Amino acid sequence: MEVSHSVKERTIAENSLVILLQGLHGHVTTVDMRDESTATGRVTNVDAFMNVRLAEVTFTDRQGTVSHLDEFFVTGRNVRYVHIPDEVDIRATIERQLQAIHRIRYFGGRDKGRKEFPRAKH
Amino acid sequence: KRFPPPAEGVRHQQQDTEAVLGGRSLGSGTLYVAESRLTWLENSGVGFSLDYPTISLHAVSRDLSAYPWEHLYVMVNAKFEGEETKEAPMAEGEEEEEDSDDDAEPIAEFRFVPSDKSALEAMFSAMCECQTLHPDPDDEDSDNDYEGEEYDVEAHELEQGDIPSFYTYEEGLSHLTAEGQATLERLEGMLAQSVSSQYNMAGVRTEDSIREFEDGMEVDIAPVVAGQFEDAEVDH
């Protein structure tokens, strides 16, 4: 599970459904772009601005031509849809991501907080 | 257009890189992945720049059946104007971008083919980093505007910054200005002497900015360690 190290990004994520997308790390998913091209690959990162990074991608451009890309990055502005894989439990994913954020935020007492690097992966 | 390469914020520089626009090679030159823009300059000094907000996506392509050389693919959602490129050869290039659909958004497809294929990962990552420096200003979700200083969590985690003594609560309180902090301390002191038992933690407000972080001041949040508020000096 990946949680951003930025206060601002964590706050943005906490208040939007992008938090669901951030819970998709490692899952194979399809992203539809604004120009109607699509990319299917394994999610390696989604940030609070919905920039999506995928690996091992099958890319279909808007004319239908298929190609394979090793690494792929699309800006949030150009994302139209992100398909949530069937095997993903949406509610559990959101809750897990929120818990991860809260663990960082409320960790420890006054002087103990944030000296330990948050355990991001579970 | 002839111009000097970017001097600052160059995250990655790749020499001996061919640039291809649409299907047309522009020659060999150097690609500069700078924080402000993406620039490619042919060895003769002419070239072009792309602004990150115009780049919709980029990728590493190693699929030789799709294109015969491993390259960095960059899709730009703008028509490629004459003034941004070399003069004469680009006139033909412009026509190539316009797809058959009249109502389709114009896109331009660039391929940067480095002679050193192993550099593609670094080129890709540098572009990812620079893209994230240019978030979309037209984002409809206006709640993304968070005022106040950023609490540098990483610096504190690495113990590079002093944890100020008045950071009694969680990071949200870092949004108070120095004056606000002083006021907060003064009020808390006054509270301790106050006879009234009406005050709870949420009553200690000095500025509007605290309002956003009410959650942290309520005692009933489960994960909060009870001892965290022991010096708040409030009558419960």
Side-chain angles (χ1 to χ4, degrees):
Chain A
M1 179 182 342
E2 303 289 340
V3 180
S4 170
H5 296 303
S6 148
V7 173
K8 178 177 171 180
E9 290 200 35
R10 285 204 294 272
T11 315
I12 292 173
E14 194 182 19
N15 289 290
S16 98
L17 278 176
V18 91
I19 196 174
L20 168 61
L21 303 187
Q22 291 177 329
L24 296 181
H25 279 228
H27 288 271
V28 174
T29 185
T30 297
V31 179
D32 290 4
M33 262 61 71
R34 258 195 329 160
D35 73 344
E36 295 176 11
S37 56
T38 70
T40 302
R42 195 166 43 81
V43 176
T44 51
N45 195 55
V46 179
D47 68 15
F49 307 103
M50 218 184 297
N51 297 319
V52 177
R53 181 166 167 168
L54 305 174
E56 294 143 37
V57 171
T58 302
F59 180 69
T60 306
D61 74 14
R62 60 186 181 174
Q63 281 141 358
T65 310
V66 179
S67 61
H68 296 277
L69 302 167
D70 280 32
E71 298 253 21
F72 176 90
F73 178 101
V74 58
T75 51
R77 180 158 192 260
N78 290 282
V79 172
R80 177 176 288 158
Y81 302 124
V82 177
H83 295 240
I84 310 295
D86 289 340
E87 73 264 15
V88 169
D89 178 335
I90 292 179
R91 167 132 67 132
T93 300
I94 293 177
E95 285 178 350
R96 215 172 47 228
Q97 290 298 114
L98 282 173
Q99 279 167 25
I101 288 176
H102 290 167
R103 255 194 291 275
I104 293 176
R105 183 172 297 153
Y106 301 124
F107 183 81
R110 185 197 328 174
D111 292 320
K112 294 193 176 101
R114 288 176 267 286
K115 279 194 181 175
E116 284 187 26
F117 205 80
R119 293 164 301 160
K121 291 195 165 68
H122 289 272
Chain B
K1 201 185 266 188
R2 183 183 300 271
F3 50 89
E8 294 178 329
V10 178
R11 295 286 184 106
H12 187 89
Q13 184 173 325
Q14 193 62 34
Q15 288 164 330
D16 291 330
T17 299
E18 183 194 5
V20 181
L21 171 59
R24 181 188 200 87
S25 175
L26 305 177
S28 183
T30 303
L31 182 70
Y32 300 88
V33 185
E35 291 167 2
S36 53
R37 59 181 58 83
L38 185 70
T39 302
W40 179 85
L41 292 178
E42 207 212 1
N43 294 330
S44 61
V46 296
F48 59 90
S49 282
L50 301 174
D51 288 330
Y52 291 106
T54 66
I55 297 176
S56 50
L57 62 92
H58 64 277
V60 171
S61 172
R62 296 201 168 95
D63 180 2
L64 301 181
S65 61
Y67 190 82
W69 293 279
E70 297 181 17
H71 64 278
L72 180 72
Y73 173 81
V74 177
M75 182 194 287
V76 177
N77 50 10
K79 239 191 280 204
F80 217 61
E81 301 293 337
E83 66 260 25
E84 285 179 315
T85 74
K86 286 161 71 168
E87 303 83 15
M90 281 306 102
E92 297 171 42
E94 279 183 52
E95 289 167 24
E96 285 180 51
E97 272 73 80
E98 294 180 27
D99 293 292
S100 45
D101 304 352
D102 288 341
D103 54 353
E105 289 175 15
I107 64 162
E109 295 180 303
F110 287 88
R111 296 173 205 272
F112 296 102
V113 192
S115 57
D116 177 8
K117 296 189 293 244
S118 64
L120 282 171
E121 287 288 333
M123 292 160 71
F124 175 83
S125 293
M127 278 199 65
C128 289
E129 288 166 22
C130 293
Q131 278 282 38
T132 58
L133 297 173
H134 297 260
D136 184 11
D138 297 332
D139 197 345
E140 299 103 53
D141 185 0
S142 55
D143 285 347
N144 287 353
D145 183 22
Y146 293 91
E147 293 174 13
E149 297 156 19
E150 295 262 358
Y151 180 73
D152 193 345
V153 178
E154 278 184 29
H156 286 266
E157 284 167 344
L158 298 172
E159 297 181 70
Q160 285 167 22
D162 289 331
I163 299 181
S165 58
F166 48 74
Y167 282 177
T168 325
Y169 310 107
E170 84 280 1
E171 63 203 7
L173 275 187
S174 67
H175 283 241
L176 283 179
T177 62
E179 199 182 282
Q181 305 277 16
T183 309
L184 177 61
E185 285 175 49
R186 184 168 54 81
L187 290 176
E188 282 185 333
M190 286 165 58
L191 225 48
Q193 288 144 32
S194 167
V195 181
S196 168
S197 58
Q198 300 293 349
Y199 286 113
N200 55 27
M201 308 268 271
V204 182
R205 284 176 216 272
T206 54
E207 292 182 77
D208 286 350
S209 56
I210 302 182
R211 204 175 46 224
E212 298 174 49
F213 306 98
E214 270 182 325
D215 287 353
M217 300 177 97
E218 289 166 13
V219 187
D220 59 344
I221 290 182
V224 169
V225 176
Q228 186 173 351
F229 301 109
E230 62 193 350
D231 55 346
E233 300 176 10
V234 173
D235 295 334
H236 288 289

